[in-house]
Amino acid sequence: MLYRLGTRLENRVTGRLAALLLMLTFGFLKLAKEGGEDIPATMCLVASIYFLVGYLQTGERRQFYAGSAVGGLAIAFKLTLGLVVPIIALAFLLRASGEDGLLRRALWRPRLLVGGAALGAVVICLGFPTLLVGDFEAIGARWFDRTGRLERAVGPTAPTWWWFLRTYASGFGWPLLIGAMGALAASIVHLVRLAPSRAALRERVPGFDERALLVGALVLFLLFFSQWHDWRVHHILPTFPLAMVVLADSLERLRGHRKRVGHVALAVVVVSSAIYAGVGVGMYASMPRDEATGWLNENAEEDATMEVYFHAFFENAIPHGMDLNTPLDGPAERDPCPEYIQVGDKELLYLQDISDAQRSSEVNSNQTLGRSTSGRCWKASTTTRSSPSSDSDRRTSSPIARSRGRYVT
């Protein structure tokens, strides 16, 4: 899909280079392995922009409708991709500004706008089966209960620039990040130079609208996340393919003007990204979670129960079919004497003596550990840890620290 977008933007070389750069982006490969909703949501965003670029170039209604429909599917996968709505609006305005005749007449296209909005809304509704069966309470919770995510502290308090560097450097690696930042700046300068003069403001400049849409979409996402208290790599994944198209286009333009410099820059970005992604994927392919799951498959009894304190399938090492005690279970649903207790990175962070400002809400939530299992019996184990001896040690007074159980860390 990214290859097709790059080809539609410029040529096949740009499309191939954009696809190659995305394939060498470690954050993209990592999230693809996890198999969450971020990957299909991002694919739908790229497909929507692909159709919108086609609408800018041809003015065909079906391209606009297709972009609206696929954009609605992106929103159904991930609500933060509601930003596709202003992106569609930007595409409409860019196309209208280059139409012949009065601008007011070009903007007054209710059939196109209402049709696109209705089509997107229908796809969004179809993307939530609970809405189709009338469970409006669950839909309301899904749509509106997370509006406070911008201010909610899930990670440590830090400046916005720190979070941008942390997440993008982790997902891209420094050479690719520096290249993407330079490409964004170069693309903005290129658009300023390419923009039509005031005397010819309504004249269509080849390549301007398409690049303005891509750069505008990327800047919109960056401005959106800059308002958050914190974010992770999976939040900014939709910006990855946009950044790679902008970078590929800039490198192709650089190679056209200064061939040797362009080739060197391309080689540095591709080789360094391949090394970073290769090492990262190699390390990510062998995870302690998988090793712990294998150990449990070999050693755990068939009727054994595992107690976990973080409810996420990608965090916990759980063999298929093993009974669980989770934070969502009520007292009646819990096994009072689980054979195993699983200690993950968030529990270990909870036990560390660090300031509250550096604790995420997920780590703070593990304070429920001290309440959830107190007074329960524990089977004998090969690992024991002493109870805290004073009030000053109360921070580590979770069952992990005081109970006797079999631990999986």
Side-chain angles (χ1 to χ4, degrees), residues 10-336:
E10 184 61 28
N11 52 39
R12 291 187 176 183
V13 175
T14 303
R16 293 193 190 102
L17 182 55
L20 174 64
L21 291 172
L22 184 63
M23 186 181 70
L24 298 179
T25 304
F26 170 64
F28 174 79
L29 299 175
K30 171 182 176 293
L31 292 169
K33 183 179 186 298
E34 289 184 356
E37 76 278 10
D38 304 281
I39 291 294
T42 301
M43 183 193 71
C44 292
L45 173 67
V46 174
S48 179
I49 294 178
Y50 169 78
F51 288 120
L52 293 175
V53 169
Y55 171 71
L56 287 174
Q57 293 175 341
T58 65
E60 295 180 358
R61 288 176 176 267
R62 60 175 183 166
Q63 297 281 352
F64 185 86
Y65 290 147
S68 300
V70 181
L73 185 58
I75 297 173
F77 274 115
K78 199 169 183 68
L79 294 179
T80 52
L81 288 183
L83 291 177
V84 74
V85 175
I87 293 174
I88 294 173
L90 176 60
F92 173 77
L93 292 175
L94 288 170
R95 179 66 194 183
S97 65
E99 295 284 355
D100 297 330
L102 296 176
L103 180 60
R104 183 175 60 181
R105 181 175 297 178
L107 292 173
W108 181 249
R109 304 187 66 181
R111 180 181 176 185
L112 180 69
L113 293 175
V114 174
L119 192 57
V122 168
V123 174
I124 292 174
C125 293
L126 293 176
F128 288 90
T130 47
L131 181 63
L132 303 180
V133 297
D135 192 350
F136 300 107
E137 183 178 354
I139 289 296
R142 179 73 175 92
W143 286 359
F144 303 112
D145 284 1
R146 298 189 178 185
T147 54
R149 176 62 180 87
L150 277 68
E151 295 83 16
R152 185 163 62 92
V154 180
T157 300
T160 299
W161 63 264
W162 184 87
W163 277 105
F164 272 119
L165 289 181
R166 179 185 186 272
T167 50
Y168 276 104
S170 173
F172 283 12
W174 283 107
L176 186 58
L177 174 58
I178 293 172
M181 293 170 62
L184 178 58
S187 296
I188 294 175
V189 172
H190 179 66
L191 284 175
V192 172
R193 294 176 177 175
L194 202 62
S197 62
R198 290 186 178 182
L201 193 60
R202 298 291 301 279
E203 292 184 5
R204 191 175 302 281
V205 179
F208 176 81
D209 291 347
E210 299 91 318
R211 288 171 174 81
L213 179 67
L214 285 171
V215 172
L218 182 54
V219 171
L220 180 63
F221 272 103
L222 297 179
L223 291 176
F224 173 68
F225 288 116
S226 69
Q227 305 304 310
W228 289 36
H229 176 274
D230 55 77
W231 58 89
R232 299 294 184 274
V233 173
H234 72 92
H235 292 120
I236 60 174
L237 177 65
T239 66
F240 287 13
L242 302 180
M244 294 308 107
V245 172
V246 171
L247 177 56
D249 184 48
S250 298
L251 287 172
E252 186 64 15
R253 196 164 53 248
L254 178 61
R255 291 199 299 170
H257 289 88
R258 303 185 65 179
K259 188 173 183 180
R260 180 172 296 181
V261 176
H263 281 294
V264 171
L266 176 60
V268 170
V269 169
V270 170
V271 173
S272 61
S273 299
I275 295 173
Y276 180 74
V279 173
V281 170
M283 297 178 66
Y284 194 74
S286 176
M287 300 184 65
R289 180 190 63 186
D290 299 331
E291 297 170 3
T293 303
W295 185 90
L296 288 168
N297 277 323
E298 295 177 2
N299 297 278
E301 300 83 354
E302 292 186 3
D303 59 346
T305 300
M306 171 74 74
E307 178 150 312
V308 297
Y309 302 108
F310 189 73
H311 189 65
F313 73 92
F314 53 84
E315 293 278 351
N316 300 322
I318 306 296
H320 181 71
M322 176 174 277
D323 294 329
L324 293 179
N325 284 354
T326 75
L328 302 180
D329 295 335
E333 300 171 311
R334 289 175 175 266
D335 182 346

Side-chain angles (χ1 to χ4, degrees), residues 323-388:
D323 294 329
L324 293 179
N325 284 354
T326 75
L328 302 180
D329 295 335
E333 300 171 311
R334 289 175 175 266
D335 182 346
C337 301
E339 285 77 10
Y340 296 93
I341 305 170
Q342 187 158 159
V343 182
D345 63 326
K346 292 180 175 61
E347 289 78 31
L348 295 176
L349 283 173
Y350 171 75
L351 297 176
Q352 289 183 5
D353 187 14
I354 58 177
S355 64
D356 291 339
Q358 299 303 312
R359 293 178 179 274
S360 72
S361 63
E362 293 175 342
V363 174
N364 281 330
S365 68
N366 286 331
Q367 293 173 3
T368 58
L369 297 175
R371 301 190 300 269
S372 62
T373 55
S374 58
R376 293 154 66 184
C377 69
W378 298 96
K379 294 187 178 180
S381 74
T382 58
T383 303
T384 60
R385 301 186 184 184
S386 59
S387 300

